[in-house]
Short mmCIF file of all heavy atoms in Angstrom, two decimals:
data_model
loop_
_atom_site.label_atom_id
_atom_site.label_comp_id
_atom_site.label_asym_id
_atom_site.label_seq_id
_atom_site.Cartn_x
_atom_site.Cartn_y
_atom_site.Cartn_z
N MET A 1 137.91 -193.56 -50.43
CA MET A 1 136.63 -192.88 -50.21
C MET A 1 136.26 -192.89 -48.75
O MET A 1 136.04 -193.99 -48.19
CB MET A 1 135.53 -193.75 -51.01
CG MET A 1 134.73 -192.80 -51.87
SD MET A 1 133.67 -193.78 -52.99
CE MET A 1 134.89 -194.67 -54.01
N HIS A 3 133.82 -192.18 -45.78
CA HIS A 3 132.42 -191.91 -45.60
C HIS A 3 132.18 -191.49 -44.20
O HIS A 3 132.37 -192.26 -43.26
CB HIS A 3 131.57 -193.10 -45.94
CG HIS A 3 131.78 -193.54 -47.34
ND1 HIS A 3 131.23 -192.83 -48.40
CD2 HIS A 3 132.49 -194.55 -47.88
CE1 HIS A 3 131.69 -193.37 -49.48
NE2 HIS A 3 132.44 -194.40 -49.23
N VAL A 11 123.44 -195.86 -33.71
CA VAL A 11 123.00 -196.97 -34.44
C VAL A 11 123.96 -198.17 -34.20
O VAL A 11 123.66 -199.29 -34.63
CB VAL A 11 122.91 -196.61 -35.92
CG1 VAL A 11 122.42 -197.80 -36.75
CG2 VAL A 11 121.96 -195.41 -36.09
N LEU A 12 125.02 -197.97 -33.52
CA LEU A 12 125.97 -199.02 -33.24
C LEU A 12 125.64 -199.47 -31.81
O LEU A 12 125.01 -198.87 -31.08
CB LEU A 12 127.37 -198.60 -33.32
CG LEU A 12 127.87 -198.18 -34.72
CD1 LEU A 12 129.31 -197.95 -34.78
CD2 LEU A 12 127.40 -199.08 -35.82
N SER A 13 126.19 -200.71 -31.51
CA SER A 13 125.90 -201.28 -30.19
C SER A 13 126.59 -200.65 -29.04
O SER A 13 127.57 -199.85 -29.32
CB SER A 13 126.23 -202.78 -30.13
OG SER A 13 127.66 -202.86 -30.14
N LYS A 14 126.26 -200.92 -27.82
CA LYS A 14 126.96 -200.27 -26.68
C LYS A 14 128.40 -200.79 -26.66
O LYS A 14 129.35 -200.01 -26.44
CB LYS A 14 126.26 -200.59 -25.36
CG LYS A 14 124.89 -200.00 -25.26
CD LYS A 14 124.32 -200.16 -23.89
CE LYS A 14 122.86 -199.66 -23.82
NZ LYS A 14 121.90 -200.50 -24.53
N GLU A 23 141.91 -198.69 -26.11
CA GLU A 23 142.85 -197.97 -26.91
C GLU A 23 142.76 -196.54 -26.62
O GLU A 23 143.65 -195.79 -27.19
CB GLU A 23 142.63 -198.26 -28.37
CG GLU A 23 143.16 -199.71 -28.73
CD GLU A 23 143.20 -199.94 -30.23
OE1 GLU A 23 143.31 -199.00 -30.99
OE2 GLU A 23 143.15 -201.14 -30.56
N PHE A 60 164.98 -217.17 -33.41
CA PHE A 60 164.41 -217.44 -34.71
C PHE A 60 165.39 -218.18 -35.67
O PHE A 60 164.86 -218.99 -36.49
CB PHE A 60 164.07 -216.17 -35.51
CG PHE A 60 162.53 -215.81 -35.20
CD1 PHE A 60 162.17 -214.72 -34.51
CD2 PHE A 60 161.57 -216.69 -35.68
CE1 PHE A 60 160.84 -214.37 -34.24
CE2 PHE A 60 160.24 -216.36 -35.43
CZ PHE A 60 159.88 -215.26 -34.69
N VAL A 63 164.58 -221.79 -35.57
CA VAL A 63 163.32 -222.19 -36.15
C VAL A 63 163.49 -222.12 -37.71
O VAL A 63 163.02 -222.95 -38.48
CB VAL A 63 162.20 -221.30 -35.74
CG1 VAL A 63 160.93 -221.67 -36.48
CG2 VAL A 63 161.99 -221.33 -34.22
N GLN A 64 164.13 -220.99 -38.18
CA GLN A 64 164.39 -220.82 -39.63
C GLN A 64 165.09 -222.02 -40.23
O GLN A 64 164.72 -222.56 -41.28
CB GLN A 64 165.23 -219.60 -39.84
CG GLN A 64 164.72 -218.73 -40.90
CD GLN A 64 164.34 -217.34 -40.44
OE1 GLN A 64 163.19 -216.91 -40.47
NE2 GLN A 64 165.37 -216.60 -39.94
N SER A 74 155.51 -227.59 -44.68
CA SER A 74 154.78 -226.49 -45.35
C SER A 74 154.11 -227.00 -46.49
O SER A 74 154.67 -227.65 -47.41
CB SER A 74 155.80 -225.34 -45.75
OG SER A 74 155.10 -224.54 -46.65
N CYS A 76 153.03 -225.41 -48.83
CA CYS A 76 153.33 -224.61 -50.03
C CYS A 76 154.61 -225.04 -50.77
O CYS A 76 154.91 -224.44 -51.71
CB CYS A 76 153.46 -223.22 -49.63
SG CYS A 76 152.04 -222.57 -48.76
N THR A 77 155.29 -226.17 -50.29
CA THR A 77 156.48 -226.60 -51.02
C THR A 77 156.15 -227.78 -51.86
O THR A 77 155.06 -228.45 -51.62
CB THR A 77 157.50 -227.09 -50.02
OG1 THR A 77 156.95 -228.07 -49.17
CG2 THR A 77 157.90 -225.82 -49.07
N PHE A 84 148.18 -230.75 -49.30
CA PHE A 84 147.41 -229.51 -49.34
C PHE A 84 145.92 -229.65 -49.28
O PHE A 84 145.33 -229.02 -48.43
CB PHE A 84 147.79 -228.82 -50.71
CG PHE A 84 147.02 -227.45 -50.82
CD1 PHE A 84 147.45 -226.29 -50.15
CD2 PHE A 84 145.91 -227.37 -51.65
CE1 PHE A 84 146.75 -225.14 -50.27
CE2 PHE A 84 145.19 -226.22 -51.84
CZ PHE A 84 145.64 -225.06 -51.07
N ALA A 88 143.61 -228.22 -46.30
CA ALA A 88 142.80 -227.06 -46.62
C ALA A 88 141.32 -227.30 -46.35
O ALA A 88 140.55 -226.39 -46.06
CB ALA A 88 143.02 -226.63 -48.06
N ILE A 89 140.87 -228.62 -46.53
CA ILE A 89 139.42 -228.82 -46.28
C ILE A 89 139.06 -229.07 -44.80
O ILE A 89 137.98 -228.85 -44.39
CB ILE A 89 139.00 -230.16 -47.01
CG1 ILE A 89 139.15 -230.04 -48.50
CG2 ILE A 89 137.64 -230.54 -46.74
CD1 ILE A 89 138.76 -231.23 -49.27
N PHE A 90 140.06 -229.49 -44.05
CA PHE A 90 139.81 -229.91 -42.64
C PHE A 90 139.41 -228.68 -41.79
O PHE A 90 140.21 -227.87 -41.50
CB PHE A 90 141.06 -230.57 -42.17
CG PHE A 90 140.88 -231.18 -40.80
CD1 PHE A 90 140.43 -232.53 -40.75
CD2 PHE A 90 141.12 -230.51 -39.61
CE1 PHE A 90 140.27 -233.17 -39.43
CE2 PHE A 90 140.90 -231.12 -38.38
CZ PHE A 90 140.47 -232.45 -38.28
N TYR A 93 136.44 -228.68 -35.60
CA TYR A 93 136.97 -227.80 -34.53
C TYR A 93 137.73 -228.61 -33.50
O TYR A 93 138.25 -228.02 -32.49
CB TYR A 93 135.87 -226.92 -33.91
CG TYR A 93 134.67 -227.64 -33.33
CD1 TYR A 93 134.65 -228.90 -32.79
CD2 TYR A 93 133.42 -226.96 -33.24
CE1 TYR A 93 133.50 -229.48 -32.24
CE2 TYR A 93 132.30 -227.48 -32.66
CZ TYR A 93 132.35 -228.75 -32.19
OH TYR A 93 131.20 -229.31 -31.67
N PHE A 137 133.68 -216.33 -21.32
CA PHE A 137 132.29 -216.57 -21.77
C PHE A 137 131.76 -217.84 -21.19
O PHE A 137 130.53 -218.04 -20.89
CB PHE A 137 132.24 -216.67 -23.28
CG PHE A 137 132.02 -215.44 -24.03
CD1 PHE A 137 132.87 -214.97 -24.99
CD2 PHE A 137 130.85 -214.72 -23.82
CE1 PHE A 137 132.68 -213.75 -25.70
CE2 PHE A 137 130.61 -213.54 -24.53
CZ PHE A 137 131.50 -213.07 -25.41
N CYS A 138 132.65 -218.86 -20.99
CA CYS A 138 132.21 -220.11 -20.48
C CYS A 138 131.93 -220.10 -19.02
O CYS A 138 131.09 -220.89 -18.45
CB CYS A 138 133.30 -221.30 -20.75
SG CYS A 138 133.36 -221.73 -22.41
N ALA A 140 131.66 -217.22 -16.76
CA ALA A 140 131.09 -216.12 -15.99
C ALA A 140 130.00 -215.44 -16.87
O ALA A 140 129.96 -215.46 -17.97
CB ALA A 140 132.15 -215.13 -15.65
N ASP A 141 128.97 -214.84 -16.14
CA ASP A 141 127.87 -214.17 -16.73
C ASP A 141 128.24 -212.66 -16.63
O ASP A 141 129.06 -212.23 -15.82
CB ASP A 141 126.54 -214.42 -16.01
CG ASP A 141 126.04 -215.79 -16.18
OD1 ASP A 141 126.21 -216.29 -17.21
OD2 ASP A 141 125.62 -216.35 -15.18
N ARG A 158 140.71 -205.80 -21.80
CA ARG A 158 139.94 -205.89 -23.08
C ARG A 158 139.49 -207.33 -23.26
O ARG A 158 138.35 -207.64 -23.46
CB ARG A 158 140.80 -205.42 -24.22
CG ARG A 158 140.11 -205.71 -25.56
CD ARG A 158 141.10 -205.69 -26.67
NE ARG A 158 142.11 -206.63 -26.58
CZ ARG A 158 143.12 -206.77 -27.36
NH1 ARG A 158 143.32 -205.93 -28.43
NH2 ARG A 158 144.06 -207.74 -27.19
N LYS A 201 133.55 -215.22 -9.85
CA LYS A 201 133.48 -216.53 -10.48
C LYS A 201 134.82 -217.21 -10.59
O LYS A 201 134.89 -218.44 -10.84
CB LYS A 201 132.86 -216.46 -11.87
CG LYS A 201 131.35 -216.24 -11.91
CD LYS A 201 130.52 -217.19 -11.12
CE LYS A 201 130.49 -218.59 -11.60
NZ LYS A 201 129.50 -218.84 -12.70
N HIS A 234 136.46 -220.73 -9.91
CA HIS A 234 137.34 -221.28 -10.85
C HIS A 234 138.77 -220.73 -10.73
O HIS A 234 138.93 -219.66 -10.27
CB HIS A 234 136.87 -220.96 -12.35
CG HIS A 234 135.57 -221.70 -12.72
ND1 HIS A 234 135.57 -222.97 -13.11
CD2 HIS A 234 134.34 -221.29 -12.66
CE1 HIS A 234 134.35 -223.34 -13.33
NE2 HIS A 234 133.52 -222.36 -13.08
N PHE A 281 155.84 -216.88 -32.06
CA PHE A 281 155.00 -216.94 -33.20
C PHE A 281 153.67 -216.19 -32.98
O PHE A 281 152.67 -216.79 -33.24
CB PHE A 281 154.62 -218.36 -33.56
CG PHE A 281 155.81 -219.33 -33.91
CD1 PHE A 281 155.65 -220.65 -33.90
CD2 PHE A 281 157.02 -218.78 -34.33
CE1 PHE A 281 156.66 -221.54 -34.22
CE2 PHE A 281 158.09 -219.55 -34.70
CZ PHE A 281 157.95 -220.96 -34.62
N PRO A 282 153.68 -214.94 -32.61
CA PRO A 282 152.39 -214.30 -32.32
C PRO A 282 151.53 -214.19 -33.60
O PRO A 282 150.35 -214.24 -33.52
CB PRO A 282 152.80 -212.83 -31.81
CG PRO A 282 154.15 -212.65 -32.38
CD PRO A 282 154.83 -214.01 -32.38
N GLY A 283 152.22 -214.10 -34.74
CA GLY A 283 151.35 -213.93 -36.04
C GLY A 283 150.55 -215.23 -36.40
O GLY A 283 149.56 -215.16 -37.06
N LYS A 302 133.16 -225.80 -28.92
CA LYS A 302 132.12 -225.19 -29.73
C LYS A 302 132.46 -223.75 -30.03
O LYS A 302 132.29 -223.26 -31.20
CB LYS A 302 130.74 -225.30 -29.09
CG LYS A 302 130.28 -226.74 -29.01
CD LYS A 302 128.93 -226.87 -28.36
CE LYS A 302 128.38 -228.26 -28.43
NZ LYS A 302 128.52 -229.10 -27.26
N SER A 305 135.00 -222.37 -32.81
CA SER A 305 134.66 -222.04 -34.20
C SER A 305 134.80 -220.62 -34.55
O SER A 305 134.97 -220.24 -35.74
CB SER A 305 133.04 -222.39 -34.45
OG SER A 305 132.83 -223.77 -34.22
N PHE A 306 134.81 -219.79 -33.53
CA PHE A 306 134.96 -218.37 -33.76
C PHE A 306 136.42 -217.92 -33.75
O PHE A 306 136.76 -216.80 -34.04
CB PHE A 306 134.27 -217.59 -32.64
CG PHE A 306 132.81 -217.79 -32.62
CD1 PHE A 306 132.16 -218.51 -31.57
CD2 PHE A 306 131.90 -217.37 -33.62
CE1 PHE A 306 130.83 -218.77 -31.49
CE2 PHE A 306 130.58 -217.59 -33.68
CZ PHE A 306 129.94 -218.20 -32.50
N SER A 310 144.41 -221.81 -38.23
CA SER A 310 144.45 -222.25 -39.61
C SER A 310 145.14 -223.56 -39.73
O SER A 310 146.18 -223.78 -39.03
CB SER A 310 145.31 -221.19 -40.43
OG SER A 310 145.66 -221.78 -41.67
N THR A 311 144.50 -224.50 -40.45
CA THR A 311 145.07 -225.82 -40.53
C THR A 311 146.43 -225.82 -41.18
O THR A 311 147.32 -226.69 -40.93
CB THR A 311 144.08 -226.77 -41.41
OG1 THR A 311 143.70 -226.08 -42.52
CG2 THR A 311 142.99 -227.13 -40.57
N GLN A 312 146.69 -224.79 -42.03
CA GLN A 312 148.04 -224.67 -42.55
C GLN A 312 149.05 -224.64 -41.42
O GLN A 312 150.14 -225.18 -41.42
CB GLN A 312 148.11 -223.52 -43.48
CG GLN A 312 149.41 -223.24 -44.05
CD GLN A 312 149.55 -221.83 -44.79
OE1 GLN A 312 148.78 -220.96 -44.49
NE2 GLN A 312 150.56 -221.60 -45.59
N THR A 313 148.73 -223.69 -40.51
CA THR A 313 149.60 -223.51 -39.28
C THR A 313 149.59 -224.71 -38.37
O THR A 313 150.60 -225.12 -37.79
CB THR A 313 149.12 -222.22 -38.55
OG1 THR A 313 149.13 -221.20 -39.45
CG2 THR A 313 149.96 -222.01 -37.35
N GLY B 13 128.53 -223.82 -11.79
CA GLY B 13 129.74 -222.97 -11.95
C GLY B 13 130.08 -222.46 -13.28
O GLY B 13 130.99 -221.72 -13.54
N SER B 15 128.78 -220.51 -17.04
CA SER B 15 127.95 -219.33 -17.35
C SER B 15 126.61 -219.80 -17.99
O SER B 15 126.47 -220.94 -18.43
CB SER B 15 128.64 -218.47 -18.28
OG SER B 15 128.81 -219.10 -19.55
N LYS B 16 125.67 -218.89 -18.10
CA LYS B 16 124.41 -219.11 -18.79
C LYS B 16 124.64 -219.52 -20.27
O LYS B 16 124.02 -220.36 -20.80
CB LYS B 16 123.52 -217.93 -18.66
CG LYS B 16 123.01 -217.57 -17.21
CD LYS B 16 121.80 -216.56 -17.28
CE LYS B 16 121.33 -216.27 -15.93
NZ LYS B 16 122.26 -215.28 -15.16
N ALA B 18 127.20 -220.91 -21.44
CA ALA B 18 127.83 -222.29 -21.51
C ALA B 18 126.74 -223.36 -21.40
O ALA B 18 126.80 -224.37 -22.03
CB ALA B 18 128.87 -222.39 -20.43
N GLU B 25 123.93 -227.38 -31.67
CA GLU B 25 124.37 -228.61 -32.12
C GLU B 25 123.46 -229.86 -31.94
O GLU B 25 123.77 -230.95 -32.28
CB GLU B 25 125.69 -229.00 -31.51
CG GLU B 25 126.83 -228.08 -32.18
CD GLU B 25 128.19 -228.54 -31.85
OE1 GLU B 25 128.42 -229.62 -31.43
OE2 GLU B 25 129.15 -227.70 -32.00
N GLU B 57 130.74 -227.84 -49.27
CA GLU B 57 132.16 -227.60 -49.48
C GLU B 57 132.34 -227.64 -50.92
O GLU B 57 131.68 -228.40 -51.69
CB GLU B 57 132.87 -228.79 -48.90
CG GLU B 57 133.58 -228.53 -47.57
CD GLU B 57 134.37 -229.80 -47.09
OE1 GLU B 57 134.52 -230.69 -47.87
OE2 GLU B 57 134.56 -229.80 -45.86
N LEU B 69 150.36 -223.81 -56.57
CA LEU B 69 151.37 -223.97 -55.55
C LEU B 69 152.64 -224.57 -56.08
O LEU B 69 153.74 -224.21 -55.75
CB LEU B 69 150.81 -224.80 -54.46
CG LEU B 69 149.76 -224.10 -53.52
CD1 LEU B 69 149.23 -225.08 -52.47
CD2 LEU B 69 150.39 -222.95 -52.83
N SER B 73 156.16 -222.16 -55.43
CA SER B 73 156.43 -222.48 -54.03
C SER B 73 157.20 -221.43 -53.25
O SER B 73 156.95 -221.21 -52.13
CB SER B 73 157.11 -223.84 -53.97
OG SER B 73 158.38 -223.74 -54.62
N THR B 76 154.99 -218.46 -52.08
CA THR B 76 154.01 -218.79 -50.96
C THR B 76 154.67 -219.19 -49.71
O THR B 76 153.97 -219.12 -48.62
CB THR B 76 153.00 -219.85 -51.44
OG1 THR B 76 153.78 -221.00 -51.92
CG2 THR B 76 152.20 -219.36 -52.63
N ASN B 77 155.78 -219.68 -49.82
CA ASN B 77 156.48 -220.16 -48.60
C ASN B 77 157.19 -219.10 -47.80
O ASN B 77 158.39 -218.88 -47.95
CB ASN B 77 157.47 -221.25 -48.95
CG ASN B 77 157.72 -222.22 -47.76
OD1 ASN B 77 156.99 -222.22 -46.85
ND2 ASN B 77 158.81 -222.96 -47.86
N THR B 83 166.51 -215.16 -44.88
CA THR B 83 166.45 -215.31 -43.35
C THR B 83 165.27 -214.59 -42.83
O THR B 83 164.53 -215.19 -42.03
CB THR B 83 167.73 -214.58 -42.80
OG1 THR B 83 168.79 -214.85 -43.59
CG2 THR B 83 167.98 -215.20 -41.42
N PHE B 86 160.61 -215.85 -42.72
CA PHE B 86 159.88 -216.57 -41.71
C PHE B 86 159.63 -215.76 -40.57
O PHE B 86 158.56 -215.66 -39.99
CB PHE B 86 160.55 -217.91 -41.37
CG PHE B 86 159.84 -218.70 -40.33
CD1 PHE B 86 158.82 -219.60 -40.64
CD2 PHE B 86 160.14 -218.45 -38.99
CE1 PHE B 86 158.12 -220.25 -39.60
CE2 PHE B 86 159.51 -219.19 -37.98
CZ PHE B 86 158.47 -220.02 -38.32
N ARG B 87 160.69 -215.23 -40.08
CA ARG B 87 160.68 -214.44 -38.79
C ARG B 87 159.68 -213.24 -38.89
O ARG B 87 158.79 -213.09 -38.00
CB ARG B 87 162.03 -213.81 -38.58
CG ARG B 87 162.20 -213.43 -37.13
CD ARG B 87 163.53 -212.70 -36.94
NE ARG B 87 163.31 -211.27 -37.28
CZ ARG B 87 164.06 -210.35 -36.80
NH1 ARG B 87 164.98 -210.66 -35.87
NH2 ARG B 87 163.85 -209.12 -37.18
N ASN B 89 157.23 -212.87 -40.72
CA ASN B 89 155.81 -213.37 -40.95
C ASN B 89 155.32 -213.91 -39.60
O ASN B 89 154.17 -213.57 -39.18
CB ASN B 89 155.82 -214.51 -41.98
CG ASN B 89 154.41 -214.91 -42.22
OD1 ASN B 89 153.95 -216.00 -41.75
ND2 ASN B 89 153.63 -214.13 -42.92
N ALA B 90 156.13 -214.63 -38.88
CA ALA B 90 155.74 -215.29 -37.55
C ALA B 90 155.49 -214.18 -36.50
O ALA B 90 154.64 -214.33 -35.65
CB ALA B 90 156.79 -216.22 -37.12
N PHE B 92 154.37 -211.11 -37.23
CA PHE B 92 153.38 -210.13 -37.61
C PHE B 92 151.99 -210.40 -37.05
O PHE B 92 151.29 -211.24 -37.48
CB PHE B 92 153.31 -210.14 -39.19
CG PHE B 92 152.43 -208.95 -39.66
CD1 PHE B 92 152.94 -207.71 -39.88
CD2 PHE B 92 151.09 -209.18 -39.99
CE1 PHE B 92 152.17 -206.67 -40.32
CE2 PHE B 92 150.35 -208.13 -40.38
CZ PHE B 92 150.82 -206.86 -40.58
N TYR B 95 146.70 -206.19 -36.19
CA TYR B 95 145.33 -206.53 -36.47
C TYR B 95 144.82 -205.81 -37.78
O TYR B 95 143.72 -206.11 -38.22
CB TYR B 95 144.31 -206.28 -35.29
CG TYR B 95 144.16 -204.89 -34.73
CD1 TYR B 95 144.38 -203.77 -35.53
CD2 TYR B 95 143.79 -204.78 -33.40
CE1 TYR B 95 144.18 -202.51 -34.93
CE2 TYR B 95 143.55 -203.46 -32.81
CZ TYR B 95 143.84 -202.37 -33.60
OH TYR B 95 143.59 -201.13 -33.03
N ARG B 123 139.45 -200.87 -46.02
CA ARG B 123 138.17 -201.20 -45.44
C ARG B 123 137.94 -202.71 -45.18
O ARG B 123 136.95 -203.18 -44.68
CB ARG B 123 136.99 -200.74 -46.22
CG ARG B 123 136.89 -199.25 -46.29
CD ARG B 123 135.57 -198.68 -46.98
NE ARG B 123 135.44 -197.33 -46.78
CZ ARG B 123 135.17 -196.69 -45.59
NH1 ARG B 123 134.90 -197.44 -44.57
NH2 ARG B 123 135.19 -195.42 -45.51
N PHE B 139 128.08 -208.30 -32.74
CA PHE B 139 128.50 -207.60 -31.48
C PHE B 139 128.57 -206.11 -31.65
O PHE B 139 128.25 -205.35 -30.73
CB PHE B 139 129.89 -208.10 -31.05
CG PHE B 139 129.92 -209.29 -30.14
CD1 PHE B 139 130.56 -210.46 -30.57
CD2 PHE B 139 129.36 -209.17 -28.90
CE1 PHE B 139 130.59 -211.55 -29.70
CE2 PHE B 139 129.42 -210.35 -28.03
CZ PHE B 139 130.03 -211.39 -28.45
N ILE B 140 128.98 -205.70 -32.88
CA ILE B 140 129.12 -204.30 -33.16
C ILE B 140 127.83 -203.53 -33.43
O ILE B 140 127.66 -202.37 -33.14
CB ILE B 140 130.17 -204.05 -34.25
CG1 ILE B 140 131.55 -204.46 -33.83
CG2 ILE B 140 130.15 -202.62 -34.74
CD1 ILE B 140 132.57 -204.38 -34.86
N ASP B 143 122.68 -204.75 -29.83
CA ASP B 143 122.83 -204.97 -28.49
C ASP B 143 122.06 -206.23 -28.06
O ASP B 143 121.20 -206.71 -28.76
CB ASP B 143 122.16 -203.79 -27.72
CG ASP B 143 123.07 -202.56 -27.70
OD1 ASP B 143 124.28 -202.62 -27.34
OD2 ASP B 143 122.58 -201.49 -28.16
N ARG B 160 123.64 -220.09 -34.14
CA ARG B 160 124.81 -220.02 -33.21
C ARG B 160 125.59 -218.73 -33.43
O ARG B 160 125.84 -217.95 -32.46
CB ARG B 160 125.63 -221.20 -33.38
CG ARG B 160 126.98 -221.12 -32.62
CD ARG B 160 128.02 -222.15 -33.16
NE ARG B 160 128.39 -221.80 -34.46
CZ ARG B 160 129.20 -222.56 -35.19
NH1 ARG B 160 129.63 -223.71 -34.72
NH2 ARG B 160 129.50 -222.23 -36.49
N ARG B 203 117.74 -204.09 -35.22
CA ARG B 203 118.91 -203.27 -35.58
C ARG B 203 119.43 -203.48 -36.96
O ARG B 203 120.25 -202.68 -37.40
CB ARG B 203 120.00 -203.59 -34.53
CG ARG B 203 119.70 -203.42 -33.05
CD ARG B 203 119.27 -201.99 -32.73
NE ARG B 203 120.45 -201.12 -32.73
CZ ARG B 203 121.19 -200.81 -31.71
NH1 ARG B 203 120.97 -201.52 -30.51
NH2 ARG B 203 122.18 -200.01 -31.78
N HIS B 236 120.74 -201.40 -40.06
CA HIS B 236 121.88 -201.87 -40.85
C HIS B 236 121.51 -202.90 -41.89
O HIS B 236 120.46 -203.57 -41.74
CB HIS B 236 122.98 -202.50 -39.92
CG HIS B 236 123.62 -201.50 -39.05
ND1 HIS B 236 124.60 -200.72 -39.49
CD2 HIS B 236 123.38 -201.19 -37.73
CE1 HIS B 236 124.91 -199.86 -38.50
NE2 HIS B 236 124.22 -200.06 -37.39
N PRO B 284 138.17 -224.08 -46.39
CA PRO B 284 137.58 -223.79 -44.99
C PRO B 284 138.56 -223.96 -43.83
O PRO B 284 138.43 -223.36 -42.79
CB PRO B 284 136.38 -224.81 -44.92
CG PRO B 284 136.85 -225.99 -45.82
CD PRO B 284 137.54 -225.24 -46.95
N GLY B 285 139.56 -224.84 -44.00
CA GLY B 285 140.48 -225.11 -42.90
C GLY B 285 141.43 -223.91 -42.63
O GLY B 285 141.92 -223.77 -41.54
N ASN B 295 131.31 -198.18 -43.29
CA ASN B 295 131.17 -197.28 -42.07
C ASN B 295 132.48 -197.31 -41.33
O ASN B 295 132.98 -198.24 -40.87
CB ASN B 295 130.06 -197.94 -41.17
CG ASN B 295 129.80 -197.06 -39.92
OD1 ASN B 295 130.66 -196.70 -39.32
ND2 ASN B 295 128.50 -196.98 -39.57
N ASP B 296 133.12 -196.08 -41.26
CA ASP B 296 134.43 -195.90 -40.67
C ASP B 296 134.53 -196.43 -39.18
O ASP B 296 135.42 -197.09 -38.87
CB ASP B 296 134.85 -194.44 -40.63
CG ASP B 296 135.09 -193.91 -42.10
OD1 ASP B 296 135.09 -194.68 -43.03
OD2 ASP B 296 135.17 -192.66 -42.15
N LYS B 297 133.56 -196.13 -38.50
CA LYS B 297 133.54 -196.54 -37.05
C LYS B 297 133.46 -198.01 -36.91
O LYS B 297 134.10 -198.62 -36.08
CB LYS B 297 132.33 -195.85 -36.34
CG LYS B 297 132.12 -196.26 -34.89
CD LYS B 297 132.91 -195.55 -33.95
CE LYS B 297 132.64 -196.01 -32.52
NZ LYS B 297 133.57 -195.64 -31.51
N ARG B 304 139.56 -203.65 -34.18
CA ARG B 304 140.05 -203.83 -32.76
C ARG B 304 139.54 -205.27 -32.30
O ARG B 304 140.25 -205.97 -31.61
CB ARG B 304 139.53 -202.77 -31.87
CG ARG B 304 140.20 -201.41 -32.07
CD ARG B 304 139.59 -200.36 -31.28
NE ARG B 304 140.35 -199.15 -31.49
CZ ARG B 304 139.77 -197.94 -31.42
NH1 ARG B 304 138.57 -197.72 -31.11
NH2 ARG B 304 140.59 -196.84 -31.58
N SER B 307 141.16 -208.80 -32.95
CA SER B 307 142.21 -209.32 -32.09
C SER B 307 141.83 -210.74 -31.60
O SER B 307 142.73 -211.56 -31.30
CB SER B 307 142.49 -208.46 -30.93
OG SER B 307 142.87 -207.17 -31.30
N THR B 309 140.31 -212.93 -33.23
CA THR B 309 140.06 -213.91 -34.26
C THR B 309 140.88 -213.50 -35.50
O THR B 309 140.21 -213.44 -36.56
CB THR B 309 138.55 -214.09 -34.53
OG1 THR B 309 138.34 -215.00 -35.57
CG2 THR B 309 137.95 -212.72 -34.90
N SER B 312 145.87 -216.43 -39.37
CA SER B 312 147.31 -216.69 -39.22
C SER B 312 148.09 -215.99 -40.28
O SER B 312 147.80 -216.04 -41.51
CB SER B 312 147.49 -218.26 -39.36
OG SER B 312 148.86 -218.57 -39.55
N SER B 313 149.18 -215.32 -39.84
CA SER B 313 149.97 -214.56 -40.79
C SER B 313 150.54 -215.44 -41.89
O SER B 313 150.78 -215.05 -43.01
CB SER B 313 151.08 -213.82 -40.09
OG SER B 313 151.86 -214.71 -39.23
N GLN B 314 150.77 -216.71 -41.48
CA GLN B 314 151.35 -217.72 -42.46
C GLN B 314 150.31 -217.81 -43.65
O GLN B 314 150.70 -217.90 -44.75
CB GLN B 314 151.57 -219.02 -41.71
CG GLN B 314 152.08 -220.10 -42.62
CD GLN B 314 152.05 -221.45 -41.94
OE1 GLN B 314 151.36 -221.62 -40.96
NE2 GLN B 314 152.79 -222.38 -42.51
N THR B 315 149.04 -217.91 -43.24
CA THR B 315 147.99 -218.12 -44.27
C THR B 315 147.78 -216.87 -45.04
O THR B 315 147.55 -216.86 -46.22
CB THR B 315 146.67 -218.59 -43.57
OG1 THR B 315 146.95 -219.80 -42.86
CG2 THR B 315 145.62 -218.78 -44.59
#
Side-chain angles (χ1 to χ4, degrees):
Chain A
M1 232 173 294
H3 303 286
V11 184
L12 299 189
S13 70
K14 295 189 182 72
E23 290 188 22
F60 267 113
V63 180
Q64 223 119 244
S74 164
C76 303
T77 56
F84 178 79
I89 294 183
F90 189 89
Y93 61 26
F137 268 122
C138 287
D141 292 320
R158 174 198 61 185
K201 286 310 288 283
H234 294 277
F281 298 160
K302 292 179 170 100
S305 298
F306 298 111
S310 166
T311 44
Q312 178 192 15
T313 301
Chain B
S15 67
K16 293 193 181 80
E25 285 193 19
E57 259 179 15
L69 288 177
S73 61
T76 52
N77 200 17
T83 326
F86 176 87
R87 196 188 86 149
N89 185 258
F92 189 85
Y95 61 29
R123 292 191 171 283
F139 269 120
I140 291 178
D143 285 307
R160 173 197 62 188
R203 303 299 288 274
H236 292 279
N295 182 317
D296 294 347
K297 173 86 180 166
R304 288 176 176 150
S307 298
T309 182
S312 168
S313 51
Q314 182 191 16
T315 301

